[in-house]
Amino acid sequence: LDMDVLAIVSESDQVASPSIIREALEPAPHTRILSCGHSNHVLLYDHDRDLVIRSVADFLTSPDPSSLSFPEP
């Protein structure tokens, strides 16, 4: 992918494996990964909801999304 990508993963997700998502997106040079440690599969209905909403808004409104960074798990 030759575009900015924001991937949001939950470390305890049993449906979409965070490690497989990271592996799949590794070749994409402009990928940022937001790791949510307090949620499961449905992130917008879980404990990290506010973090996810704020991070997506920051990503979409940033003049340079590739400069954004998110804490590692």
Side-chain angles (χ1 to χ4, degrees):
L1 297 174
D2 190 24
M3 64 181 77
D4 293 314
V5 174
L6 173 60
I8 304 172
V9 300
S10 170
E11 295 306 317
S12 57
D13 195 328
Q14 296 177 347
V15 176
S17 166
S19 61
I20 291 174
I21 292 169
R22 283 186 181 89
E23 183 180 322
L25 292 173
E26 189 175 339
H30 305 288
T31 299
R32 299 294 172 264
I33 296 178
L34 171 62
S35 177
C36 298
H38 304 291
S39 296
N40 292 306
H41 183 68
V42 185
L43 292 164
L44 289 176
Y45 289 111
D46 224 329
H47 302 286
D48 291 307
R49 178 180 187 264
D50 292 337
L51 172 64
V52 170
I53 291 170
R54 188 172 52 252
S55 299
V56 169
D58 288 347
F59 182 80
L60 292 175
T61 59
S62 173
D64 182 14
S66 64
S67 69
L68 295 174
S69 63
F70 300 103
E72 288 295 318

